[in-house]
């Protein structure tokens, strides 16, 4: 898997919302196929974090997809809401750039529970999380919190 290729696309998605540059793509593992994309749209709907928008896009456009064969790339570590959605979807692999502690250090409001911890508590699903993909580029998206 070309992690940087997919993360670059997640970063492009994030830049569509310069204030909340949380971008995500859903990918068919083992291919170059991007199946779905999302960018944070929480100003319209508070649940519309980038990862949720990408999962919804995937469900709408690929209703028969086998979620277990998918990976999700996101500019920032999934928050507990997004990580829960990832687990309920059954996506087994997540790659992220900026970590929750870094977002907090930059002044972002974040729920202080790591995605790994949310994953550990879901007995029904297994998820592998890998952080630090194009981390410096992702961190640059979040250096200044909104407002
Ligand atoms: N990972 C992630 N964290 C967030 N915190 C606030 N919005 C978001 C988002 O869209 N994605």
């Amino acid at each position: 898997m070309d992690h940087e290729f997919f993360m670059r696309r997640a970063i492009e998605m994030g830049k569509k919302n310069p204030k909340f540059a949380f971008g995500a793509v859903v990918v068919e593992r083992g291919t170059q196929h991007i199946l779905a994309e999302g960018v944070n749209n929480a100003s319209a709907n508070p649940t519309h974090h980038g990862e949720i928008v990408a999962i919804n896009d995937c469900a709408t456009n690929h209703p028969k997809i086998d979620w277990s064969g998918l990976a999700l790339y996101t500019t920032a570590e999934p928050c507990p809401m997004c990580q829960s959605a990832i687990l309920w979807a059954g996506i087994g692999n997540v790659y992220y750039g900026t970590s929750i502690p870094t977002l907090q250090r930059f002044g972002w409001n974040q729920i202080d529970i790591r995605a790994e911890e949310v994953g550990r508590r879901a007995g029904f699903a297994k998820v592998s999380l890998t952080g630090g993909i194009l981390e410096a580029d992702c961190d640059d998206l979040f250096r200044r919190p909104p407002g």
Side-chain angles (χ1 to χ4, degrees), residues 20 22 40 48-51 74 76-79 82 103 109-110:
F20 292 86
F22 299 93
N40 180 295
H48 283 185
H49 284 193
E51 296 93 323
T74 170
E77 181 174 348
C79 77
C82 295
L103 287 171
N109 287 335
Q110 287 292 299

